[in-house]
Amino acid sequence: MNTTPLPFGTRPTADDDRSTLHGDCLRCHALCCTALGFERSADFAVDKPAGIPCPQLATDHRCTIHDALRARGYRGCTVYDCFGAGQIVSAATADRHPGRARTAFPRVQHLHEMLWHLHDAAHRTYDPDTAADARALTEEIHTAVTAVTTGTTPNRTEPDIPDLHARVRALLRGVSDEIRGSYPPIDEDRPRLAAGVDLAGADLRHRRVYAADLRGACLIGADLRGCDLTDADLLGADLRDARIDDADLSRALYVTSPQIGAARGNRCTRLPADIPPPSHFR
C-alpha cells in the first residue's frame, strides 16, 4: 500500500483513498513518542508523562527498539496510529515551533480520525446529499487542520473542534442507521448486541453479528472467529485481544488500524482494503 503523504497543503478529498491517513514515522519528528503520555501496563513497560520523550527515543527521532517493541513490553506502540497527523504537523511546525507541534499533534490526530470515518461514510451512503455533506465536512476539517498547524485561517478564528466532532458523529450515525436499516432486526438472544454493550470474553461465533450496532461496545477478548461483520458498526468498539481469526471485516463500518492491531487474527482475516494486516497476524 502506498503510504506516501501528499505534499503539505494538498488536501485529499472524501473521494480519495485513505493512504495519507496512516502514520508515516519516517516523516515525523517522533511526536507521539514525546507529546503523548502512557502508564506502565500490559501495553507499556514504563510510565511516561506527556511532553517527555520516551526513554527508547534516539536523538534523531527514531525508536531504538522499533523492531522489538512487543518483545520489550511496548505492545501499545505497535497498535498506535496517528492517522497521518504526525507527518503533517512535523512538516508544518516541528522545525520552527516545537512547542506548537506538541500542542497541535493530538488535535490534528483527532481531526484526521474524523477524516478517516468521513471517507467511509461518503463511500457507503446511498444518499447523494449525505455524500455531499460528508465532502463538505471533509473540507471544513482540512481548513481546521491548517488553522491548528499554522495558526492561520481566513477569518483568524480558532476552529471549533467539538462542534465538528458533533456534526461528524451525527452524520456517521445517520449513515450507519441507513445501511443497517436494510437488514431484518437482530434477535434478542443474550448477550444482547447493542451500542456500548459489555461483551468482554463473549463467544459470538454462532451469533448474527453482521449489521449489528456495536458502536462503543467492549469486545475485549471476545471470540469472533469466522464471523461475518459486514455492515456492523464498530465505531469506537474496543477490540483488544478479540479473536478475529478467519473473520470478515472487509465491509464493516468505521474500522481503524488501531482497532485491528489490538485484536488477534490470522492471514485469513479479511480486512478493509486500506488497512494492512498487522505483523502478528499469522
Side-chain angles (χ1 to χ4, degrees):
M1 180 181 61
N2 177 19
T3 57
T4 303
L6 298 175
F8 178 71
T10 303
R11 298 182 175 189
T13 70
D15 293 323
D16 296 326
D17 66 33
R18 295 186 286 192
S19 61
T20 59
L21 296 176
H22 286 284
D24 188 340
C25 298
L26 294 178
R27 291 176 171 83
C28 177
H29 291 190
L31 294 178
C32 65
C33 305
T34 302
L36 306 181
F38 50 76
E39 297 180 355
R40 184 174 181 178
S41 64
D43 290 325
F44 296 102
V46 298
D47 293 323
K48 190 196 85 65
I52 303 298
C54 174
Q56 309 298 341
L57 191 63
T59 56
D60 63 354
H61 308 303
R62 299 292 177 260
C63 175
T64 59
I65 62 168
H66 186 269
D67 294 334
L69 284 167
R70 282 183 172 261
R72 296 285 293 272
Y74 289 83
R75 183 179 70 164
C77 297
T78 68
V79 306
Y80 176 78
D81 191 342
C82 70
F83 295 95
Q87 61 262 28
I88 294 295
V89 175
S90 293
T93 67
D95 288 332
R96 300 177 299 281
H97 305 287
R100 182 193 295 166
R102 288 191 293 270
T103 301
F105 174 66
R107 301 176 72 198
V108 174
Q109 178 184 340
H110 187 191
L111 291 165
H112 273 213
E113 186 171 1
M114 294 186 217
L115 291 176
W116 177 273
H117 293 309
L118 281 172
H119 179 279
D120 210 2
H123 283 75
R124 298 295 298 276
T125 182
Y126 304 116
D127 185 349
D129 291 337
T130 300
D133 290 342
R135 289 191 289 270
L137 273 170
T138 294
E139 285 301 310
E140 283 192 60
I141 291 171
H142 282 302
T143 298
V145 168
T146 300
V148 170
T149 54
T150 67
T152 59
T153 57
N155 54 10
R156 299 184 180 277
T157 58
E158 182 73 9
D160 190 344
I161 296 177
D163 174 69
L164 282 170
H165 178 85
R167 288 190 284 143
V168 169
R169 186 177 181 85
L171 186 143
L172 299 183
R173 166 58 76 186
V175 172
S176 173
D177 290 345
E178 169 197 341
I179 292 172
R180 293 183 301 100
S182 63
Y183 292 88
I186 295 178
D187 60 50
E188 293 297 318
D189 289 347
R190 299 300 184 200
R192 183 169 179 265
L193 305 182
V197 70
D198 185 354
L199 294 168
D203 186 349
L204 302 174
R205 287 176 295 173
H206 304 294
R207 296 290 306 278
R208 196 206 102 181
V209 291
Y210 63 85
D213 184 358
L214 295 172
R215 173 179 295 219
C218 177
L219 294 166
I220 298 174
D223 194 340
L224 290 158
R225 286 177 293 174
C227 287
D228 179 4
L229 285 108
T230 297
D231 292 334
D233 187 337
L234 294 176
L235 183 69
D238 192 338
L239 291 171
R240 283 177 293 170
D241 289 324
R243 296 294 305 274
I244 57 173
D245 311 67
D246 306 311
D248 186 356
L249 291 86
S250 62
R251 294 285 292 171
L253 286 166
Y254 312 136
V255 183
T256 66
S257 290
Q259 285 175 304
I260 297 302
R264 299 163 60 192
N266 62 9
R267 292 179 180 177
C268 294
T269 302
R270 297 184 63 190
L271 302 175
D274 40 18
I275 296 182
S279 60
H280 63 279
F281 278 27
R282 296 186 175 90

